[in-house]
Amino acid sequence: MKVAVMAGTPVDTQMGVDFLKEKGVDTYSYPVSENPTEQLLFQTLPIEERKEALLELIAKIKNDGMDAIFVYCNSLSSSIDFHELADISKIYIVTPLDVYEFLANKYTYLGLICANGQSAGGIEKIIVNTNSKCTVVGLNSMTLVNNVEEKIPPMELIKNNHLEDIINFFEGINVQALILGCTHFPYFEKELKSMTKLDIINPAEKMYEFLCENLNK
């Protein structure tokens, strides 16, 4: 199978490509924007402009012979209805939001670290609409995204952004798990896990499971 990775910038798109290639998937890169600032501006465009631009990109992806699309970007996923785009374009699309529906039925109290408020709002909406008894406590930081793009070493990034304090906060309020609500953030996932007993959730693994289930039907 050939899978297109769509994400916000070349950096997180490549992270998605690398993730799937490690699984043995024939994968190709389709970033939507050139950098985090351009990505953020894209996500604030009128909905019809975003829809038109993404449908054009999906048309190119189909013309390139891809079998499915792996949207490796939380904030992009939150900015538009990819289920609608999939129906219009007649191609399977999996996004992190599909994973949050699954998590909503597994947990009742979740911590969340996101890139921006749009992403946090989109994730919370999915979770609460799926399970009204699930509470989400979130933090947003574009600085973290920029630091990943700049390839600042993970432990330095964690120190500079006081992530240990943030982990202590989430532990203190007894969340059941902490979602990495940005596909840039697995960059420091290993180091973060070494600092806490909290279940750190990287949605990409479950997305991969969904992808395989669909393409093997």
Short mmCIF file of all heavy atoms in Angstrom, two decimals, residues 1-3 67-68 92 210-217:
data_model
loop_
_atom_site.label_atom_id
_atom_site.label_comp_id
_atom_site.label_asym_id
_atom_site.label_seq_id
_atom_site.Cartn_x
_atom_site.Cartn_y
_atom_site.Cartn_z
N MET A 1 0.84 -1.20 0.00
CA MET A 1 0.00 0.00 0.00
C MET A 1 0.87 1.25 0.00
O MET A 1 1.97 1.25 0.55
CB MET A 1 -0.92 0.01 1.23
CG MET A 1 -0.22 0.03 2.59
SD MET A 1 -1.38 0.05 3.96
CE MET A 1 -0.26 -0.12 5.35
N LYS A 2 0.36 2.30 -0.63
CA LYS A 2 1.04 3.59 -0.64
C LYS A 2 0.23 4.55 0.23
O LYS A 2 -0.97 4.71 0.02
CB LYS A 2 1.15 4.14 -2.05
CG LYS A 2 2.12 3.39 -2.96
CD LYS A 2 2.24 4.09 -4.30
CE LYS A 2 3.25 3.41 -5.20
NZ LYS A 2 3.38 4.11 -6.50
N VAL A 3 0.89 5.18 1.18
CA VAL A 3 0.21 6.06 2.12
C VAL A 3 0.81 7.46 2.07
O VAL A 3 2.03 7.63 2.16
CB VAL A 3 0.28 5.51 3.55
CG1 VAL A 3 -0.37 6.47 4.54
CG2 VAL A 3 -0.39 4.14 3.63
N ASP A 67 -3.06 5.19 -1.59
CA ASP A 67 -4.21 4.39 -1.19
C ASP A 67 -4.94 4.96 0.03
O ASP A 67 -6.10 4.62 0.28
CB ASP A 67 -3.76 2.96 -0.86
CG ASP A 67 -3.14 2.26 -2.06
OD1 ASP A 67 -3.82 2.16 -3.09
OD2 ASP A 67 -1.97 1.83 -1.96
N ALA A 68 -4.25 5.79 0.81
CA ALA A 68 -4.84 6.34 2.03
C ALA A 68 -4.03 7.56 2.45
O ALA A 68 -2.92 7.79 1.96
CB ALA A 68 -4.85 5.30 3.14
N TYR A 92 -9.61 6.86 2.00
CA TYR A 92 -9.58 6.69 3.45
C TYR A 92 -8.59 7.68 4.06
O TYR A 92 -7.45 7.81 3.60
CB TYR A 92 -9.17 5.27 3.83
CG TYR A 92 -9.05 5.07 5.32
CD1 TYR A 92 -10.18 5.10 6.14
CD2 TYR A 92 -7.80 4.88 5.92
CE1 TYR A 92 -10.07 4.93 7.51
CE2 TYR A 92 -7.68 4.71 7.29
CZ TYR A 92 -8.83 4.73 8.08
OH TYR A 92 -8.71 4.58 9.44
N PHE A 210 -5.57 1.67 13.10
CA PHE A 210 -6.77 1.99 12.32
C PHE A 210 -6.48 1.91 10.82
O PHE A 210 -7.29 1.41 10.04
CB PHE A 210 -7.30 3.37 12.68
CG PHE A 210 -7.89 3.51 14.05
CD1 PHE A 210 -7.99 4.75 14.67
CD2 PHE A 210 -8.34 2.40 14.75
CE1 PHE A 210 -8.54 4.89 15.93
CE2 PHE A 210 -8.89 2.52 16.03
CZ PHE A 210 -8.98 3.77 16.62
N LEU A 211 -5.31 2.44 10.43
CA LEU A 211 -4.91 2.43 9.03
C LEU A 211 -4.84 0.99 8.50
O LEU A 211 -5.38 0.67 7.43
CB LEU A 211 -3.56 3.11 8.87
CG LEU A 211 -2.93 3.13 7.48
CD1 LEU A 211 -3.71 4.06 6.55
CD2 LEU A 211 -1.47 3.57 7.56
N CYS A 212 -4.17 0.14 9.25
CA CYS A 212 -4.00 -1.26 8.82
C CYS A 212 -5.34 -1.98 8.76
O CYS A 212 -5.61 -2.74 7.83
CB CYS A 212 -3.06 -1.98 9.76
SG CYS A 212 -1.35 -1.42 9.66
N GLU A 213 -6.19 -1.74 9.76
CA GLU A 213 -7.51 -2.38 9.79
C GLU A 213 -8.31 -2.01 8.55
O GLU A 213 -8.96 -2.86 7.94
CB GLU A 213 -8.28 -1.98 11.04
CG GLU A 213 -7.75 -2.60 12.33
CD GLU A 213 -8.38 -1.99 13.58
OE1 GLU A 213 -9.32 -1.16 13.41
OE2 GLU A 213 -7.94 -2.31 14.69
N ASN A 214 -8.26 -0.73 8.16
CA ASN A 214 -9.04 -0.28 7.01
C ASN A 214 -8.49 -0.82 5.70
O ASN A 214 -9.26 -1.30 4.85
CB ASN A 214 -9.09 1.25 6.96
CG ASN A 214 -9.98 1.76 5.87
OD1 ASN A 214 -9.55 1.94 4.73
ND2 ASN A 214 -11.25 1.98 6.20
N LEU A 215 -7.18 -0.76 5.53
CA LEU A 215 -6.59 -1.17 4.26
C LEU A 215 -6.57 -2.68 4.08
O LEU A 215 -6.42 -3.17 2.96
CB LEU A 215 -5.18 -0.60 4.12
CG LEU A 215 -5.09 0.92 4.03
CD1 LEU A 215 -3.65 1.38 3.87
CD2 LEU A 215 -5.93 1.46 2.88
N ASN A 216 -6.76 -3.42 5.18
CA ASN A 216 -6.79 -4.89 5.09
C ASN A 216 -8.19 -5.45 4.95
O ASN A 216 -8.38 -6.67 4.91
CB ASN A 216 -6.10 -5.51 6.32
CG ASN A 216 -4.61 -5.27 6.30
OD1 ASN A 216 -3.99 -5.17 5.25
ND2 ASN A 216 -4.00 -5.18 7.49
N LYS A 217 -9.18 -4.56 4.89
CA LYS A 217 -10.58 -5.03 4.75
C LYS A 217 -10.77 -5.70 3.40
O LYS A 217 -10.24 -5.26 2.39
CB LYS A 217 -11.55 -3.84 4.89
CG LYS A 217 -11.69 -3.34 6.33
CD LYS A 217 -12.67 -2.18 6.39
CE LYS A 217 -12.82 -1.67 7.81
NZ LYS A 217 -13.74 -0.49 7.89
#
